[in-house]
Amino acid sequence: AQRVTQPEKLLSVFKGAPVELKCNYSYSGSPELFWYVQYSRQRLQLLLRHISRESIKGFTADLNKGETSFHLKKPFAQEEDSAMYYCALSTDTGANSKLTFGKGITLSVRP
Amino acid sequence: AAGVIQSPRHLIKEKRETATLKCYPIPRHDTVYWYQQGPGQDPQFLISFYEKMQSDKGSIPDRFSAQQFSDYHSELNMSSLELGDSALYFCASSLGRGTSGYNEQFFGPGTRLTVL
């Protein structure tokens, strides 16, 4: 069975500091990896997915199959980045794309 | 733009009662997923529907049942409620028809169920 591990529950940094949110996964095949974000009082929303290789709001994440990791990075954190971040994976496609989530990490960016 | 709607947003029930949670997907989305998030836990997949048929099943208790209706909205029915059922229940919708690869799931705000 697949599993997603986010080893830290909370990361607190000052504005302008670099951020790295760690995510490791276990799955024998080739999953699709995602980062979801939940801002205060808002719903979960997709931040980015590994297959698109985009940079969203300055965040990037590279899938490292050798280390089975998908860490989320941003070189200079902003206060508006404060939120809950979930790493997730999907092993299926189409209408069966259920997500397996990690436990999430709270990012707090202080002024 | 229209988003996923869930009702009610909050629900308080006694043990052994029943509860029905509703999910209205984004227009033209044909796939609905239900997730349960206990306090301090990650969201856990419960069940999903595509074109009104169950497409996948996760860790959903036998006391729970769900269905998707002709207008694509979905209802999660929970019976013989237990204290441990207290959680945030998310619904997500996506477009599954005629696509391959992962289809982005759009989440609702969740229903917070408290069982006393």
Side-chain angles (χ1 to χ4, degrees), chain B residues 2-63:
Chain B
V4 176
I5 297 171
Q6 290 188 248
S7 69
R9 293 292 306 278
H10 301 274
L11 189 58
I12 299 175
K13 291 285 186 178
E14 300 274 345
K15 280 196 308 184
R16 292 179 288 278
E17 285 190 318
T18 61
T20 298
L21 309 185
K22 298 185 179 182
C23 171
Y24 298 87
I26 290 172
R28 290 188 292 280
H29 279 190
D30 51 18
T31 307
V32 168
Y33 303 82
W34 286 97
Y35 296 88
Q36 177 193 56
Q37 185 176 27
Q41 301 296 313
D42 50 303
Q44 294 282 326
F45 170 72
L46 292 178
I47 195 167
S48 62
F49 293 88
Y50 168 63
E51 282 291 345
K52 293 152 279 185
M53 299 288 288
Q54 181 182 307
S55 57
D56 202 353
K57 192 172 181 179
S59 51
I60 183 169
D62 292 341
R63 299 177 289 107

Side-chain angles (χ1 to χ4, degrees), chain A residues 3-29:
Chain A
R3 189 170 64 223
V4 176
T5 303
Q6 294 180 252
E8 299 154 333
K9 284 190 173 182
L10 171 68
L11 179 63
S12 183
V13 301
F14 284 107
K15 177 182 172 181
V19 166
E20 182 178 45
L21 308 183
K22 297 186 186 300
C23 173
N24 289 89
Y25 67 92
S26 63
Y27 179 63
S28 56

